[in-house]
Amino acid sequence: MLGIQQSIQKSLQEGLQHLFSIDAQEIVLQETKKEFEGTFTFVVFPFTKQASKAPAQIAQLLGEYMLANNLKIKAFQVVQGFLNLSLQDDVWVEILNGINQDAHPFTLADKKEKVLIEYSSPNTNKPLHLGHLRNNFLGFSVSQILDAAGYEVIKTNLVNDRGIHICKSMLAYQLFGNGETPESSGLKGDHLVGKYYVAFDKAYKVEIETLVQQGIDPEEAKKQAPILLKAQDMLLAWEQNEPSVIALWEQMNTWVFDGFAKSYAQMGVSFDKIYRESNTYLLGKKLVDEGLAQGVFFRKDDGSVWIDLTEEGLDEKLVLRRDGTSVYITQDMGTAQLKYEDFGAKRSVYVVGNEQDYHFEVLFHILKKLNKPFSEGNYHLSYGMVDLPSGKMKSREGTVVDADDLMAEMVNTAQSRTLELGKIEGFSTEEAIALFNQLGLGALKYFLLKVDPKKRMLFNPEESIDFQGNTGPFIQYTHARICSLTRKAASMGINIKISAGKSYELAESEQELIFLLGNYKSKIQEAAAQFAPSVIAQYTYDLAKQFNKFYNELSILNEENVDSRNIRLNLASLTGETIKASLALLGIVAPERM
């Protein structure tokens, strides 16, 4: 398809030069809107001044030129200042043959460039929740898209396993746990630790209320609550490697990591390397010393270390506390350095929610001021929060939508919907369970990925599992329908081939399907450039929707004209393969039977 576009763009440049002596350096083609005839649209309004003619006149003259000078053009239509161009039937067959002959139809050329994607980034004081699902699905999908676009992708996960919030769970377990374990409680390890994070908050609030009743100011009471002071002492003991604190920390972290591993397996996401902040914060401190020596940072009278970013339109930012303990930015500096030492990637994408926009703006400025070789290639893939009809989630109050529970609910809903529709006839128990998982997770992933990452979104479980409309199950069902069609063709002994050197008159729905198939690689390019799985999601839905239109309008297996039948079967087969490849970029499995 790209070659066709380039041919048309070149002819339009020549036409503008020949007719109006206009040297157009760049020609932009748009897809023609559905309500008009044509495949590509060229907007002529920018050339009215140079051509000294009305837009419709320019479009008419250019259309006549194209018809006479480019054999790929079948007809043109002028709509005010828009020139719509229709392609010859043999051009569509040329595009189709090009797709069939492409040795690598679903990947772009090797870019010979590494890109590091950091996503998930959980805390070891609580289980994963709905927001983490959007993060993990985004990170994994962007990794798949960049890989298809020709980059060498390294997937990393930075786990926040140290800090005051971790100590809160540890202290609460120490105070209230009575030796409870995942085995004795029947809870996944991350759920057990999260239980004590909530327990800390409850005890903390009680202590605050007690202090307020004693006449202490509420804000001061928050700072003086004994349980918080104990947690702060525990953090200092941790940094000083106090054996009993380290032993408790290691035990609880082991429980959490075991729980995370099970959640990641259910999500279908993976990592090439998992970093822990407990292993990176000391390297961050070294970078603070390096920055102090370079004059990048400065020390205040109380001993704390800062950076002044007022000239960059920001403010002063703390990089090391007065007691020598690190903050998040310190750890991120160390992790950035370590990732570069490990992989040598000069481009790094951080998949983190938009509440951290300021944090990453500061981090990237710091890395530039430290003259790090990887400082120019950093990108914060900032995404909006996920809301539910019931409202915002709060981890410390135990009101989050747990990721494990939501995934299980989606699979159960997929099961009940599928059984209602009778779509598992002839399935074994194992095959049925696999299908319910594919549909439930496919519905969840697609719903969270089809929205532009930057937008805050409302997740509606009921809407996501529908087998009609812009949903994962609708696309999955379309793929299964195509697989059924091609299996039937194979059982009939039909060899799907397009006869070379023949002319074909193609129906509009066939042309539209070929156009979409021919656009696959440009969509990968677009999605990779924008770090936007939503581009692939929309494309896949458009492709599935167009296939169903084609399927309903035209006879396929019963078509008497062998050439027409074979072209349609070939189109169906290519569409199935493309849907499968597209869904894989979103981390979604395409079932072959439903």
Side-chain angles (χ1 to χ4, degrees), residues 122-124 157-163 165-167 170 235 238-241 245-246 249-250 253-254 257 274-285 326-328 330-332 334-335 338:
N123 298 330
T124 57
N157 180 0
L158 173 63
V159 180
N160 184 352
D161 65 340
R162 64 170 297 280
H165 50 296
I166 309 298
C167 290
M170 290 166 58
L235 177 59
W238 183 91
E239 292 218 358
Q240 291 162 5
N241 277 316
V245 172
I246 295 296
W249 172 74
E250 288 177 342
N253 266 356
T254 298
F257 278 105
I274 295 179
Y275 291 94
R276 301 188 186 189
E277 289 191 359
S278 57
N279 295 327
T280 65
Y281 81 103
L282 291 176
L283 181 53
K285 286 185 175 184
S326 61
V327 292
Y328 280 126
T330 328
Q331 294 152 190
D332 281 342
T335 308
L338 188 56

